[in-house]
Amino acid sequence: MATILGIESSCDETSASICIDGKIRSNIIANQTVHEKFGGVIPELASRAHQQNIIPTVDAAIQEAKIHKNEIDAIAFTRGPGLLGSLLVGTSFAKAFALAQHIPLIEVNHMQAHILAHFIDDPKPSFPFLCLTVSGGHTQIVQVNDFFDMELIGQTIDDAAGEAFDKTAKILNLPYPGGPLIDKYAKTGNSEKFTFPEPQIKGLDFSFSGLKTSILYFVQQRLSKNPLFIEENIHDLCASVQSRIVSILLKKLKLAANETKIKNIAIAGGVSANSGLRNTLLEIAASENWKVFIPKFEYCTDNAAMISIAGYYKYLQGDFVTQDIAPLARWGIAKN
Ligand code: KG4
Ligand code: ZN
């Protein structure tokens, strides 16, 4: 029996999860609403909110799993990448908990954990598989050879896909995080109403900053003629932007699949909750003969279930860290 407590605090979600023998027994997420009015995450406020949330969140996770804290065999925490002040809260908590309970401490790479969320439920992907990992801070194509053997084969050279959604939302006067709202409005919009340019980036890398600028100029120009342009066209604007972001992502994923000849294809990270991305991926999968793995909604955006499952696989390997461990704001996916 292995009971793992997972802690996630890399950005603006404080989360705790209990995983027993590879099964998730609880996954409590405290969302921070304090950032909404600022149009983005304010690091100092995030860190303060993590400090307030962490103990009640862990207590709730232990309670929901119907266990006692003395039954926990190891604690896994997000060491990075993320906001340093936020990571420090989870790291310090994990270190103190491990010390007090005399249990091992397990470091987890947040981006690896997004991918390993695919090992929570069945069907689980077999190795090797490709994962398009799309979040607020990252856009990557990863070749996953084994649980902790991952190769980065493509990434964004500027903004992440989630940032493209969030920055577009800001231009359209929608609150942060804008991705889910754009997704919602896009559902009843015409994606062919407006055409936004496709970046010309070679190979498997991505770029989203030019798209953001073109949306900004386009909206400003239309607003100068019609101050109600956004309100009158919000559904079509969202559908058109979303369809372009999705087409950029899936074009590169298709190229990666062709180059590597891998047909097991997964998506992960906050943007993998996007319905346009999920539906278009399924369409391409049918024509390309791919076996696709799409995470449950609750495991797309930041959560500790993915940390506790990653921690479980490290526990099986006896991969522990010592008390002198410090968080890493930047931490590549390929380095374990
Ligand atoms: O993985 P995540 O929760 O946090 C990071 O590690 O960054 O991803 C958050 C990102 C935000 O940019 C948010 O707008 C985006 O995921 N997101 C979505 C959707 N749900 C979350 N983007 C598009 N459509 C969605 N349904
Ligand atoms: Zn994330």
mmCIF file with all atom_site columns, all heavy atoms in Angstrom, residues 14 40-41 53 56 61 79 83 90 99-100 102 166 174 177 185 196 199 258 274 325 331:
data_model
loop_
_atom_site.group_PDB
_atom_site.id
_atom_site.type_symbol
_atom_site.label_atom_id
_atom_site.label_alt_id
_atom_site.label_comp_id
_atom_site.label_asym_id
_atom_site.label_entity_id
_atom_site.label_seq_id
_atom_site.pdbx_PDB_ins_code
_atom_site.Cartn_x
_atom_site.Cartn_y
_atom_site.Cartn_z
_atom_site.occupancy
_atom_site.B_iso_or_equiv
_atom_site.pdbx_formal_charge
_atom_site.auth_seq_id
_atom_site.auth_comp_id
_atom_site.auth_asym_id
_atom_site.auth_atom_id
_atom_site.pdbx_PDB_model_num
ATOM 1   N N   . THR A 1 14  ? -4.404  26.605 -5.116  1.00 0.00 ? 14  THR A N   1
ATOM 2   C CA  . THR A 1 14  ? -3.821  25.816 -4.030  1.00 0.00 ? 14  THR A CA  1
ATOM 3   C C   . THR A 1 14  ? -4.567  24.493 -4.059  1.00 0.00 ? 14  THR A C   1
ATOM 4   O O   . THR A 1 14  ? -5.799  24.483 -3.993  1.00 0.00 ? 14  THR A O   1
ATOM 5   C CB  . THR A 1 14  ? -4.082  26.471 -2.651  1.00 0.00 ? 14  THR A CB  1
ATOM 6   O OG1 . THR A 1 14  ? -3.900  27.874 -2.772  1.00 0.00 ? 14  THR A OG1 1
ATOM 7   C CG2 . THR A 1 14  ? -3.161  25.907 -1.591  1.00 0.00 ? 14  THR A CG2 1
ATOM 8   N N   . GLY A 1 40  ? -4.837  39.331 -14.655 1.00 0.00 ? 40  GLY A N   1
ATOM 9   C CA  . GLY A 1 40  ? -3.692  38.410 -14.650 1.00 0.00 ? 40  GLY A CA  1
ATOM 10  C C   . GLY A 1 40  ? -3.310  38.110 -13.215 1.00 0.00 ? 40  GLY A C   1
ATOM 11  O O   . GLY A 1 40  ? -3.794  38.774 -12.297 1.00 0.00 ? 40  GLY A O   1
ATOM 12  N N   . VAL A 1 41  ? -2.434  37.107 -13.036 1.00 0.00 ? 41  VAL A N   1
ATOM 13  C CA  . VAL A 1 41  ? -2.066  36.714 -11.670 1.00 0.00 ? 41  VAL A CA  1
ATOM 14  C C   . VAL A 1 41  ? -1.049  37.700 -11.076 1.00 0.00 ? 41  VAL A C   1
ATOM 15  O O   . VAL A 1 41  ? -0.039  38.014 -11.707 1.00 0.00 ? 41  VAL A O   1
ATOM 16  C CB  . VAL A 1 41  ? -1.461  35.284 -11.678 1.00 0.00 ? 41  VAL A CB  1
ATOM 17  C CG1 . VAL A 1 41  ? -0.988  34.884 -10.291 1.00 0.00 ? 41  VAL A CG1 1
ATOM 18  C CG2 . VAL A 1 41  ? -2.493  34.293 -12.183 1.00 0.00 ? 41  VAL A CG2 1
ATOM 19  N N   . ASN A 1 53  ? -4.630  29.353 2.261   1.00 0.00 ? 53  ASN A N   1
ATOM 20  C CA  . ASN A 1 53  ? -5.413  28.195 1.799   1.00 0.00 ? 53  ASN A CA  1
ATOM 21  C C   . ASN A 1 53  ? -4.793  26.841 2.102   1.00 0.00 ? 53  ASN A C   1
ATOM 22  O O   . ASN A 1 53  ? -5.499  25.830 2.139   1.00 0.00 ? 53  ASN A O   1
ATOM 23  C CB  . ASN A 1 53  ? -5.604  28.260 0.273   1.00 0.00 ? 53  ASN A CB  1
ATOM 24  C CG  . ASN A 1 53  ? -6.483  29.420 -0.145  1.00 0.00 ? 53  ASN A CG  1
ATOM 25  O OD1 . ASN A 1 53  ? -7.196  29.987 0.663   1.00 0.00 ? 53  ASN A OD1 1
ATOM 26  N ND2 . ASN A 1 53  ? -6.399  29.793 -1.418  1.00 0.00 ? 53  ASN A ND2 1
ATOM 27  N N   . PRO A 1 56  ? -6.158  24.474 5.305   1.00 0.00 ? 56  PRO A N   1
ATOM 28  C CA  . PRO A 1 56  ? -7.526  23.971 5.101   1.00 0.00 ? 56  PRO A CA  1
ATOM 29  C C   . PRO A 1 56  ? -7.666  23.055 3.885   1.00 0.00 ? 56  PRO A C   1
ATOM 30  O O   . PRO A 1 56  ? -8.439  22.087 3.915   1.00 0.00 ? 56  PRO A O   1
ATOM 31  C CB  . PRO A 1 56  ? -8.365  25.242 4.896   1.00 0.00 ? 56  PRO A CB  1
ATOM 32  C CG  . PRO A 1 56  ? -7.502  26.393 5.221   1.00 0.00 ? 56  PRO A CG  1
ATOM 33  C CD  . PRO A 1 56  ? -6.087  25.934 5.391   1.00 0.00 ? 56  PRO A CD  1
ATOM 34  N N   . ALA A 1 61  ? -8.523  17.517 1.928   1.00 0.00 ? 61  ALA A N   1
ATOM 35  C CA  . ALA A 1 61  ? -8.125  16.372 1.083   1.00 0.00 ? 61  ALA A CA  1
ATOM 36  C C   . ALA A 1 61  ? -8.001  15.100 1.922   1.00 0.00 ? 61  ALA A C   1
ATOM 37  O O   . ALA A 1 61  ? -8.416  14.012 1.504   1.00 0.00 ? 61  ALA A O   1
ATOM 38  C CB  . ALA A 1 61  ? -6.806  16.674 0.372   1.00 0.00 ? 61  ALA A CB  1
ATOM 39  N N   . ARG A 1 79  ? 7.776   21.297 -7.379  1.00 0.00 ? 79  ARG A N   1
ATOM 40  C CA  . ARG A 1 79  ? 9.000   22.077 -7.125  1.00 0.00 ? 79  ARG A CA  1
ATOM 41  C C   . ARG A 1 79  ? 9.136   23.208 -8.140  1.00 0.00 ? 79  ARG A C   1
ATOM 42  O O   . ARG A 1 79  ? 9.818   24.197 -7.917  1.00 0.00 ? 79  ARG A O   1
ATOM 43  C CB  . ARG A 1 79  ? 10.210  21.129 -7.215  1.00 0.00 ? 79  ARG A CB  1
ATOM 44  C CG  . ARG A 1 79  ? 11.491  21.824 -6.849  1.00 0.00 ? 79  ARG A CG  1
ATOM 45  C CD  . ARG A 1 79  ? 12.701  20.930 -6.987  1.00 0.00 ? 79  ARG A CD  1
ATOM 46  N NE  . ARG A 1 79  ? 13.903  21.669 -6.663  1.00 0.00 ? 79  ARG A NE  1
ATOM 47  C CZ  . ARG A 1 79  ? 15.122  21.287 -6.985  1.00 0.00 ? 79  ARG A CZ  1
ATOM 48  N NH1 . ARG A 1 79  ? 15.306  20.149 -7.628  1.00 0.00 ? 79  ARG A NH1 1
ATOM 49  N NH2 . ARG A 1 79  ? 16.166  22.029 -6.664  1.00 0.00 ? 79  ARG A NH2 1
ATOM 50  N N   . LEU A 1 83  ? 5.621   30.344 -10.213 1.00 0.00 ? 83  LEU A N   1
ATOM 51  C CA  . LEU A 1 83  ? 5.960   31.593 -9.527  1.00 0.00 ? 83  LEU A CA  1
ATOM 52  C C   . LEU A 1 83  ? 6.700   31.237 -8.242  1.00 0.00 ? 83  LEU A C   1
ATOM 53  O O   . LEU A 1 83  ? 6.196   30.441 -7.438  1.00 0.00 ? 83  LEU A O   1
ATOM 54  C CB  . LEU A 1 83  ? 4.688   32.370 -9.179  1.00 0.00 ? 83  LEU A CB  1
ATOM 55  C CG  . LEU A 1 83  ? 3.800   32.778 -10.357 1.00 0.00 ? 83  LEU A CG  1
ATOM 56  C CD1 . LEU A 1 83  ? 2.465   33.311 -9.859  1.00 0.00 ? 83  LEU A CD1 1
ATOM 57  C CD2 . LEU A 1 83  ? 4.528   33.827 -11.192 1.00 0.00 ? 83  LEU A CD2 1
ATOM 58  N N   . GLY A 1 90  ? 4.111   25.853 -1.084  1.00 0.00 ? 90  GLY A N   1
ATOM 59  C CA  . GLY A 1 90  ? 3.902   24.401 -1.176  1.00 0.00 ? 90  GLY A CA  1
ATOM 60  C C   . GLY A 1 90  ? 5.145   23.630 -0.769  1.00 0.00 ? 90  GLY A C   1
ATOM 61  O O   . GLY A 1 90  ? 5.069   22.616 -0.070  1.00 0.00 ? 90  GLY A O   1
ATOM 62  N N   . LEU A 1 99  ? 8.975   16.238 7.575   1.00 0.00 ? 99  LEU A N   1
ATOM 63  C CA  . LEU A 1 99  ? 9.814   16.221 8.784   1.00 0.00 ? 99  LEU A CA  1
ATOM 64  C C   . LEU A 1 99  ? 8.988   15.788 9.995   1.00 0.00 ? 99  LEU A C   1
ATOM 65  O O   . LEU A 1 99  ? 9.394   14.922 10.766  1.00 0.00 ? 99  LEU A O   1
ATOM 66  C CB  . LEU A 1 99  ? 10.348  17.648 8.993   1.00 0.00 ? 99  LEU A CB  1
ATOM 67  C CG  . LEU A 1 99  ? 11.653  17.846 9.746   1.00 0.00 ? 99  LEU A CG  1
ATOM 68  C CD1 . LEU A 1 99  ? 12.780  17.064 9.075   1.00 0.00 ? 99  LEU A CD1 1
ATOM 69  C CD2 . LEU A 1 99  ? 12.000  19.341 9.778   1.00 0.00 ? 99  LEU A CD2 1
ATOM 70  N N   . ALA A 1 100 ? 7.808   16.385 10.122  1.00 0.00 ? 100 ALA A N   1
ATOM 71  C CA  . ALA A 1 100 ? 6.958   16.102 11.281  1.00 0.00 ? 100 ALA A CA  1
ATOM 72  C C   . ALA A 1 100 ? 6.456   14.660 11.262  1.00 0.00 ? 100 ALA A C   1
ATOM 73  O O   . ALA A 1 100 ? 6.344   14.018 12.307  1.00 0.00 ? 100 ALA A O   1
ATOM 74  C CB  . ALA A 1 100 ? 5.773   17.064 11.311  1.00 0.00 ? 100 ALA A CB  1
ATOM 75  N N   . HIS A 1 102 ? 7.885   12.118 9.594   1.00 0.00 ? 102 HIS A N   1
ATOM 76  C CA  . HIS A 1 102 ? 8.977   11.157 9.321   1.00 0.00 ? 102 HIS A CA  1
ATOM 77  C C   . HIS A 1 102 ? 8.684   10.338 8.061   1.00 0.00 ? 102 HIS A C   1
ATOM 78  O O   . HIS A 1 102 ? 8.750   9.112  8.064   1.00 0.00 ? 102 HIS A O   1
ATOM 79  C CB  . HIS A 1 102 ? 9.207   10.206 10.509  1.00 0.00 ? 102 HIS A CB  1
ATOM 80  C CG  . HIS A 1 102 ? 9.459   10.938 11.783  1.00 0.00 ? 102 HIS A CG  1
ATOM 81  N ND1 . HIS A 1 102 ? 10.632  11.598 12.057  1.00 0.00 ? 102 HIS A ND1 1
ATOM 82  C CD2 . HIS A 1 102 ? 8.662   11.152 12.853  1.00 0.00 ? 102 HIS A CD2 1
ATOM 83  C CE1 . HIS A 1 102 ? 10.556  12.173 13.230  1.00 0.00 ? 102 HIS A CE1 1
ATOM 84  N NE2 . HIS A 1 102 ? 9.363   11.938 13.745  1.00 0.00 ? 102 HIS A NE2 1
ATOM 85  N N   . ASP A 1 166 ? -5.831  34.360 -22.903 1.00 0.00 ? 166 ASP A N   1
ATOM 86  C CA  . ASP A 1 166 ? -6.036  35.338 -21.829 1.00 0.00 ? 166 ASP A CA  1
ATOM 87  C C   . ASP A 1 166 ? -5.832  36.774 -22.312 1.00 0.00 ? 166 ASP A C   1
ATOM 88  O O   . ASP A 1 166 ? -6.556  37.690 -21.912 1.00 0.00 ? 166 ASP A O   1
ATOM 89  C CB  . ASP A 1 166 ? -5.108  35.030 -20.640 1.00 0.00 ? 166 ASP A CB  1
ATOM 90  C CG  . ASP A 1 166 ? -5.421  33.678 -20.012 1.00 0.00 ? 166 ASP A CG  1
ATOM 91  O OD1 . ASP A 1 166 ? -6.557  33.186 -20.196 1.00 0.00 ? 166 ASP A OD1 1
ATOM 92  O OD2 . ASP A 1 166 ? -4.540  33.110 -19.347 1.00 0.00 ? 166 ASP A OD2 1
ATOM 93  N N   . LEU A 1 174 ? -12.897 40.919 -21.338 1.00 0.00 ? 174 LEU A N   1
ATOM 94  C CA  . LEU A 1 174 ? -13.385 39.788 -20.536 1.00 0.00 ? 174 LEU A CA  1
ATOM 95  C C   . LEU A 1 174 ? -12.431 39.590 -19.347 1.00 0.00 ? 174 LEU A C   1
ATOM 96  O O   . LEU A 1 174 ? -11.234 39.840 -19.480 1.00 0.00 ? 174 LEU A O   1
ATOM 97  C CB  . LEU A 1 174 ? -13.419 38.502 -21.382 1.00 0.00 ? 174 LEU A CB  1
ATOM 98  C CG  . LEU A 1 174 ? -14.317 38.536 -22.621 1.00 0.00 ? 174 LEU A CG  1
ATOM 99  C CD1 . LEU A 1 174 ? -14.117 37.278 -23.467 1.00 0.00 ? 174 LEU A CD1 1
ATOM 100 C CD2 . LEU A 1 174 ? -15.782 38.671 -22.211 1.00 0.00 ? 174 LEU A CD2 1
ATOM 101 N N   . PRO A 1 177 ? -9.315  34.332 -15.742 1.00 0.00 ? 177 PRO A N   1
ATOM 102 C CA  . PRO A 1 177 ? -8.646  33.870 -16.960 1.00 0.00 ? 177 PRO A CA  1
ATOM 103 C C   . PRO A 1 177 ? -9.653  33.780 -18.098 1.00 0.00 ? 177 PRO A C   1
ATOM 104 O O   . PRO A 1 177 ? -10.748 33.240 -17.938 1.00 0.00 ? 177 PRO A O   1
ATOM 105 C CB  . PRO A 1 177 ? -8.122  32.490 -16.565 1.00 0.00 ? 177 PRO A CB  1
ATOM 106 C CG  . PRO A 1 177 ? -9.079  31.994 -15.522 1.00 0.00 ? 177 PRO A CG  1
ATOM 107 C CD  . PRO A 1 177 ? -9.653  33.204 -14.836 1.00 0.00 ? 177 PRO A CD  1
ATOM 108 N N   . TYR A 1 185 ? -18.215 31.610 -25.264 1.00 0.00 ? 185 TYR A N   1
ATOM 109 C CA  . TYR A 1 185 ? -18.807 32.466 -26.308 1.00 0.00 ? 185 TYR A CA  1
ATOM 110 C C   . TYR A 1 185 ? -18.626 31.845 -27.700 1.00 0.00 ? 185 TYR A C   1
ATOM 111 O O   . TYR A 1 185 ? -19.490 31.993 -28.569 1.00 0.00 ? 185 TYR A O   1
ATOM 112 C CB  . TYR A 1 185 ? -18.179 33.859 -26.286 1.00 0.00 ? 185 TYR A CB  1
ATOM 113 C CG  . TYR A 1 185 ? -18.632 34.709 -25.126 1.00 0.00 ? 185 TYR A CG  1
ATOM 114 C CD1 . TYR A 1 185 ? -17.733 35.201 -24.186 1.00 0.00 ? 185 TYR A CD1 1
ATOM 115 C CD2 . TYR A 1 185 ? -19.981 35.045 -24.965 1.00 0.00 ? 185 TYR A CD2 1
ATOM 116 C CE1 . TYR A 1 185 ? -18.146 35.990 -23.115 1.00 0.00 ? 185 TYR A CE1 1
ATOM 117 C CE2 . TYR A 1 185 ? -20.406 35.819 -23.902 1.00 0.00 ? 185 TYR A CE2 1
ATOM 118 C CZ  . TYR A 1 185 ? -19.485 36.285 -22.984 1.00 0.00 ? 185 TYR A CZ  1
ATOM 119 O OH  . TYR A 1 185 ? -19.903 37.050 -21.933 1.00 0.00 ? 185 TYR A OH  1
ATOM 120 N N   . PHE A 1 196 ? -7.770  35.596 -38.797 1.00 0.00 ? 196 PHE A N   1
ATOM 121 C CA  . PHE A 1 196 ? -6.539  36.095 -38.186 1.00 0.00 ? 196 PHE A CA  1
ATOM 122 C C   . PHE A 1 196 ? -5.352  35.322 -38.757 1.00 0.00 ? 196 PHE A C   1
ATOM 123 O O   . PHE A 1 196 ? -5.479  34.151 -39.111 1.00 0.00 ? 196 PHE A O   1
ATOM 124 C CB  . PHE A 1 196 ? -6.622  35.966 -36.658 1.00 0.00 ? 196 PHE A CB  1
ATOM 125 C CG  . PHE A 1 196 ? -7.713  36.823 -36.087 1.00 0.00 ? 196 PHE A CG  1
ATOM 126 C CD1 . PHE A 1 196 ? -8.904  36.265 -35.628 1.00 0.00 ? 196 PHE A CD1 1
ATOM 127 C CD2 . PHE A 1 196 ? -7.579  38.207 -36.070 1.00 0.00 ? 196 PHE A CD2 1
ATOM 128 C CE1 . PHE A 1 196 ? -9.921  37.058 -35.136 1.00 0.00 ? 196 PHE A CE1 1
ATOM 129 C CE2 . PHE A 1 196 ? -8.593  39.012 -35.578 1.00 0.00 ? 196 PHE A CE2 1
ATOM 130 C CZ  . PHE A 1 196 ? -9.771  38.441 -35.111 1.00 0.00 ? 196 PHE A CZ  1
ATOM 131 N N   . PRO A 1 199 ? 0.950   32.264 -37.987 1.00 0.00 ? 199 PRO A N   1
ATOM 132 C CA  . PRO A 1 199 ? 2.394   32.558 -37.941 1.00 0.00 ? 199 PRO A CA  1
ATOM 133 C C   . PRO A 1 199 ? 3.178   31.578 -38.810 1.00 0.00 ? 199 PRO A C   1
ATOM 134 O O   . PRO A 1 199 ? 2.790   30.420 -38.941 1.00 0.00 ? 199 PRO A O   1
ATOM 135 C CB  . PRO A 1 199 ? 2.741   32.376 -36.449 1.00 0.00 ? 199 PRO A CB  1
ATOM 136 C CG  . PRO A 1 199 ? 1.659   31.544 -35.882 1.00 0.00 ? 199 PRO A CG  1
ATOM 137 C CD  . PRO A 1 199 ? 0.437   31.753 -36.708 1.00 0.00 ? 199 PRO A CD  1
ATOM 138 N N   . ASN A 1 258 ? 3.759   13.039 -37.736 1.00 0.00 ? 258 ASN A N   1
ATOM 139 C CA  . ASN A 1 258 ? 4.321   12.547 -38.999 1.00 0.00 ? 258 ASN A CA  1
ATOM 140 C C   . ASN A 1 258 ? 5.818   12.310 -38.876 1.00 0.00 ? 258 ASN A C   1
ATOM 141 O O   . ASN A 1 258 ? 6.344   11.304 -39.341 1.00 0.00 ? 258 ASN A O   1
ATOM 142 C CB  . ASN A 1 258 ? 4.058   13.545 -40.132 1.00 0.00 ? 258 ASN A CB  1
ATOM 143 C CG  . ASN A 1 258 ? 2.613   13.497 -40.572 1.00 0.00 ? 258 ASN A CG  1
ATOM 144 O OD1 . ASN A 1 258 ? 1.913   12.510 -40.317 1.00 0.00 ? 258 ASN A OD1 1
ATOM 145 N ND2 . ASN A 1 258 ? 2.140   14.556 -41.203 1.00 0.00 ? 258 ASN A ND2 1
ATOM 146 N N   . ASN A 1 274 ? -10.219 23.164 -23.596 1.00 0.00 ? 274 ASN A N   1
ATOM 147 C CA  . ASN A 1 274 ? -10.931 23.914 -24.651 1.00 0.00 ? 274 ASN A CA  1
ATOM 148 C C   . ASN A 1 274 ? -11.724 22.988 -25.577 1.00 0.00 ? 274 ASN A C   1
ATOM 149 O O   . ASN A 1 274 ? -11.172 22.052 -26.160 1.00 0.00 ? 274 ASN A O   1
ATOM 150 C CB  . ASN A 1 274 ? -9.918  24.735 -25.456 1.00 0.00 ? 274 ASN A CB  1
ATOM 151 C CG  . ASN A 1 274 ? -10.595 25.606 -26.485 1.00 0.00 ? 274 ASN A CG  1
ATOM 152 O OD1 . ASN A 1 274 ? -10.746 25.215 -27.636 1.00 0.00 ? 274 ASN A OD1 1
ATOM 153 N ND2 . ASN A 1 274 ? -11.044 26.763 -26.063 1.00 0.00 ? 274 ASN A ND2 1
ATOM 154 N N   . ILE A 1 325 ? 16.091  20.863 -0.311  1.00 0.00 ? 325 ILE A N   1
ATOM 155 C CA  . ILE A 1 325 ? 15.504  21.152 -1.634  1.00 0.00 ? 325 ILE A CA  1
ATOM 156 C C   . ILE A 1 325 ? 14.880  22.567 -1.654  1.00 0.00 ? 325 ILE A C   1
ATOM 157 O O   . ILE A 1 325 ? 14.288  23.003 -0.679  1.00 0.00 ? 325 ILE A O   1
ATOM 158 C CB  . ILE A 1 325 ? 14.449  20.068 -1.982  1.00 0.00 ? 325 ILE A CB  1
ATOM 159 C CG1 . ILE A 1 325 ? 14.146  20.054 -3.464  1.00 0.00 ? 325 ILE A CG1 1
ATOM 160 C CG2 . ILE A 1 325 ? 13.167  20.222 -1.187  1.00 0.00 ? 325 ILE A CG2 1
ATOM 161 C CD1 . ILE A 1 325 ? 15.026  19.139 -4.223  1.00 0.00 ? 325 ILE A CD1 1
ATOM 162 N N   . TRP A 1 331 ? 12.211  25.193 -14.832 1.00 0.00 ? 331 TRP A N   1
ATOM 163 C CA  . TRP A 1 331 ? 12.662  23.809 -14.717 1.00 0.00 ? 331 TRP A CA  1
ATOM 164 C C   . TRP A 1 331 ? 12.206  23.074 -15.975 1.00 0.00 ? 331 TRP A C   1
ATOM 165 O O   . TRP A 1 331 ? 11.013  22.875 -16.176 1.00 0.00 ? 331 TRP A O   1
ATOM 166 C CB  . TRP A 1 331 ? 12.045  23.176 -13.456 1.00 0.00 ? 331 TRP A CB  1
ATOM 167 C CG  . TRP A 1 331 ? 12.572  21.821 -13.110 1.00 0.00 ? 331 TRP A CG  1
ATOM 168 C CD1 . TRP A 1 331 ? 13.649  21.175 -13.654 1.00 0.00 ? 331 TRP A CD1 1
ATOM 169 C CD2 . TRP A 1 331 ? 12.042  20.932 -12.113 1.00 0.00 ? 331 TRP A CD2 1
ATOM 170 N NE1 . TRP A 1 331 ? 13.814  19.960 -13.053 1.00 0.00 ? 331 TRP A NE1 1
ATOM 171 C CE2 . TRP A 1 331 ? 12.859  19.776 -12.098 1.00 0.00 ? 331 TRP A CE2 1
ATOM 172 C CE3 . TRP A 1 331 ? 10.965  21.002 -11.225 1.00 0.00 ? 331 TRP A CE3 1
ATOM 173 C CZ2 . TRP A 1 331 ? 12.621  18.709 -11.255 1.00 0.00 ? 331 TRP A CZ2 1
ATOM 174 C CZ3 . TRP A 1 331 ? 10.735  19.943 -10.384 1.00 0.00 ? 331 TRP A CZ3 1
ATOM 175 C CH2 . TRP A 1 331 ? 11.555  18.805 -10.381 1.00 0.00 ? 331 TRP A CH2 1
#
